[in-house]
Amino acid sequence: MSITTESERTGMEQASAAVAITLKKMREFAKPGISTKELDEYGGKLLAEMGARSAPFLTYGFPGYTCISINEEAAHGLPSADKILKNGDLINIDVSAELNGFWADNGGSFVLGDDIYGHGRLVETSKEILKKAISNIKGGVRISEIGKLIETEAKKAGYTVIKNLTGHGIGRSLHEAPHEIANYCDRFNIARFKKNQVVAIETFISTRSTIADTQADGWTLCGNKGGFVAQHEHTIMVTGGEPVIFTTENGIWD
């Protein structure tokens, strides 16, 4: 969507605050010994308390309130009572929701407890690339140029990008135009960011893989060449200068 009124901006701010606060509190709640189902139910409770509804459940019938991916899982991990969090795990939580007709999306990867497996550098690289990508977005900039920036920065750090997971437009539904804000330079994509447009920008930085494949459960995605993936995501409004970041309360850059 494009924001044209103050009430639309307020609606996006409120929906974005709901998902951002939920993500931040879920990260703080996560600890070794609890299941991803317990963590997800906590997130669902937080959303409900703010009057928000899980976007993946509403849109796709996803069997959980949030997506929680562990270690080799790249995205869309299913909450499960059998998945117990452990010290050193690489965890990604993706929270998206609807509130009063407005939709917002955000996510972040982090290492639980001690970085005993060395995932910290991957996580920090993903964060910094997202920050750089967002700072370069303004009305008139080609979407493919941001993809080129993300891939170039990943390569500089010795990583790859997942090419079939992308950012997207958002606002009045979970996924809107522009539908593919890729993490690489798609030379066939000639679209440009537009002023006042609302988009979800996300990185998918990998140690090895370039494609995310759907697993047997029909939801979970893992890299085609193995390894690990870090994702970070903000919902923003494009302007003529610095973008407005609606989901800053998630604290992923703190």
Side-chain angles (χ1 to χ4, degrees):
M1 69 176 284
S2 288
I3 291 179
T4 58
T5 66
E6 194 59 38
S7 63
E8 287 177 336
R9 177 160 177 162
T10 299
M12 280 308 306
E13 288 173 344
Q14 291 173 343
S16 297
V19 298
I21 291 167
T22 298
L23 175 58
K24 186 175 190 296
K25 290 187 175 181
M26 286 179 72
R27 288 180 56 167
E28 293 167 351
F29 184 80
K31 58 182 179 292
I34 70 168
S35 69
T36 58
K37 183 174 178 60
E38 186 178 349
L39 180 58
D40 178 65
E41 288 178 344
Y42 175 68
K45 178 174 175 287
L46 292 171
L47 289 174
E49 287 173 351
M50 290 181 278
R53 300 185 295 167
S54 164
F57 176 77
L58 286 174
T59 305
Y60 303 112
F62 183 77
Y65 300 104
T66 66
C67 299
I68 304 174
S69 306
I70 308 294
N71 295 323
E72 289 84 359
E73 297 172 349
H76 302 169
L78 293 178
S80 170
D82 296 326
K83 291 182 181 177
I84 307 301
L85 302 183
K86 300 178 180 64
N87 184 48
D89 278 348
L90 174 62
I91 301 173
N92 177 266
I93 303 174
D94 195 312
V95 183
S96 55
E98 178 273 337
L99 177 63
N100 299 325
F102 294 92
W103 302 64
D105 194 356
N106 70 163
S109 295
F110 61 100
V111 175
L112 184 63
D114 304 310
D115 187 20
I116 55 179
Y117 303 112
H119 297 311
R121 181 174 178 270
L122 175 65
V123 169
E124 291 305 313
T125 300
S126 175
K127 287 183 188 179
E128 290 306 309
I129 291 176
L130 179 64
K131 186 179 290 185
K132 188 166 186 176
I134 288 176
S135 71
N136 280 272
I137 293 173
K138 62 182 178 180
V141 171
R142 279 197 173 187
I143 290 173
S144 61
E145 283 301 306
I146 298 304
K148 181 180 180 180
L149 183 157
I150 292 170
E151 185 175 30
T152 299
E153 292 299 315
K155 284 183 176 179
K156 282 182 185 176
Y159 297 120
T160 57
V161 297
I162 300 296
K163 294 188 173 183
N164 63 329
L165 294 175
T166 69
H168 50 90
I170 194 169
R172 287 296 189 176
S173 61
L174 180 58
H175 292 104
E176 300 177 347
H179 292 287
E180 292 195 357
I181 304 173
N183 280 226
Y184 68 100
C185 183
D186 179 0
R187 61 190 179 89
F188 298 105
N189 186 352
I190 61 172
R192 297 176 185 270
F193 289 103
K194 298 175 183 178
K195 189 177 177 182
N196 298 325
Q197 192 174 51
V198 181
V199 291
I201 304 297
E202 48 190 321
T203 54
F204 289 96
I205 311 302
S206 175
T207 59
R208 193 179 303 167
S209 294
T210 55
I211 298 293
D213 292 329
T214 305
Q215 303 304 294
D217 62 21
W219 295 100
T220 305
L221 297 170
C222 291
N224 62 332
K225 298 178 181 178
F228 300 90
V229 176
Q231 178 259 18
H232 290 87
E233 176 182 20
H234 272 307
T235 291
I236 71 170
M237 180 178 73
V238 181
T239 73
E242 284 289 314
V244 176
I245 302 174
F246 286 138
T247 45
T248 52
E249 288 180 86
N250 64 23
I252 62 173
W253 286 336
D254 292 347

